[in-house]
Amino acid sequence: MTAPFFVEILTNKEVRYRHRVDALPIRIGRAYDNDVILDDPHASAHHATVEQEADGGLIIRDTGSRNGILHKRKRMTELVIDGNTVFRLGHISLRIRASDFQVADEVADTTLHNWEGWPPALSGLALLVCFAGLSTWLETTEKFEEISFFMTIVVTICLGMVWCGGWAFANRLFGGNARLGRHIFILGFGFASMEIWSMVSSAIAYSFSWEIFTRYGSLGTIAVFAVMVFYHLRNVRPVRHRQFAVTCIVLAVLCSGVKLMINYRFNGILSDELVMHERFPPAIRVSSDKPVSRLISDAAKLKAKVDRDRTKSVAGDEADSDDQD
């Protein structure tokens, strides 16, 4: 290792500050006569010293501090370090690299600089308008009114801009660029995907009488929403794919659990109510129709069960009344 040396203060494994030191030893602590000053009340005035070993490597030694040197959750008085060793002094994570440290080759640029500004913004707005209008048209069972159709689109765009504005602010704060247009496109594509899933799942449920697509179709919408959030996060910080993927999976699981609990709380069952908002032509119906006699028979069985339950309930109330008397 050759001088100069660079003491890096890390936050979440990323460099926050970098201090250059031209010669060894390197004194680290809170006092102002150190080579590297730590602004942390858990660090001692003269916490540690970095020196060079006989083989040319570096070693950091505790100089009588109260909290010592922490490495891989173990406290120690000295530690042999290289350019990739991360250790803590107090509550501050550090790493020391020499000027001859070999850095990795640059990674491919995946930020898609040619896909910014107006093109993604207009594409996202077009998706929002088209699918908000299509959804309103499919769900309308009354006389078509232009004002309600227009208001739905306007409300969707306004809420979408608030959503994208928040992500653009986070992108500017943590990523250096707002990229509002790209966030609008992510929202538009996500909204279109959710509407497509809703229509396709309802069409499958209607065509084949597969109620599971209607009763649990909202879980698919939650999954699409989690994917949309993943791409928002990935746009803010492109280098954290795995952490964001895990976060969004946990988000989808938690939201699905909350949805199921809400259903059970208000409906007595985990699934959604068996209601289809979209209208489909009878031509796409594949499943055979059930005869009216079966409906009447099922209704009679249900009535008999309700009558039995009512009789038991009345008898129980009368018994309780007799006991009280």
Side-chain angles (χ1 to χ4, degrees), residues 201-221:
S201 61
S202 297
I204 293 175
Y206 173 75
S207 299
F208 300 96
S209 295
W210 292 346
E211 296 180 0
I212 188 172
F213 283 92
T214 301
R215 292 192 181 277
Y216 296 98
S218 60
L219 301 185
T221 302

Side-chain angles (χ1 to χ4, degrees), residues 5-10 14-21 36 95-97 103:
F5 299 91
F6 297 89
V7 181
E8 299 175 341
I9 295 179
L10 310 177
E14 296 183 359
V15 179
R16 183 178 179 185
Y17 302 111
R18 185 177 286 113
H19 301 272
R20 173 175 172 148
V21 182
V36 178
R95 181 175 63 197
I96 300 177
R97 289 179 171 176
V103 298

Side-chain angles (χ1 to χ4, degrees), residues 219-239:
L219 301 185
T221 302
I222 292 174
V224 175
F225 175 78
V227 173
M228 183 180 70
V229 172
F230 168 76
Y231 280 101
H232 278 303
L233 291 171
R234 182 179 175 182
N235 196 70
V236 174
R237 298 299 295 271
V239 296

Side-chain angles (χ1 to χ4, degrees), residues 65-211:
S65 69
R66 174 178 294 181
N67 296 316
I69 302 168
L70 195 66
H71 177 61
K72 295 183 178 179
R73 299 183 179 181
K74 294 182 179 179
R75 181 176 173 177
M76 52 191 65
T77 57
E78 63 179 36
L79 172 67
V80 177
I81 60 176
D82 58 26
N84 294 315
T85 305
V86 177
F87 56 91
R88 282 175 54 187
L89 302 180
H91 285 181
I92 298 180
S93 297
L94 300 98
R95 181 175 63 197
I96 300 177
R97 289 179 171 176
S99 58
D100 58 351
F101 181 83
Q102 297 296 318
V103 298
D105 294 335
E106 70 275 13
V107 298
D109 189 353
T110 59
T111 54
L112 299 176
H113 296 288
N114 59 335
W115 185 242
E116 295 179 0
W118 287 108
L122 293 178
S123 301
L125 288 175
L127 288 171
L128 284 175
V129 171
C130 291
F131 280 90
L134 179 62
S135 176
T136 303
W137 178 70
L138 289 175
E139 295 179 6
T140 300
T141 57
E142 301 177 355
K143 181 181 178 181
F144 181 78
E145 295 182 357
E146 292 81 359
I147 185 63
S148 61
F149 186 78
F150 178 75
M151 286 301 300
T152 300
I153 294 176
V154 171
V155 171
T156 301
I157 293 177
C158 291
L159 293 177
M161 292 305 297
V162 172
W163 171 267
C164 295
W167 282 109
F169 176 77
N171 210 137
R172 181 67 180 86
L173 186 63
F174 298 104
N177 297 288
R179 295 196 172 100
L180 176 62
R182 199 179 296 179
H183 285 292
I184 294 175
F185 176 77
I186 293 172
L187 173 64
F189 192 83
F191 180 79
S193 300
M194 286 187 281
E195 291 297 328
I196 290 174
W197 163 253
S198 177
M199 289 184 285
V200 170
S201 61
S202 297
I204 293 175
Y206 173 75
S207 299
F208 300 96
S209 295
W210 292 346
E211 296 180 0

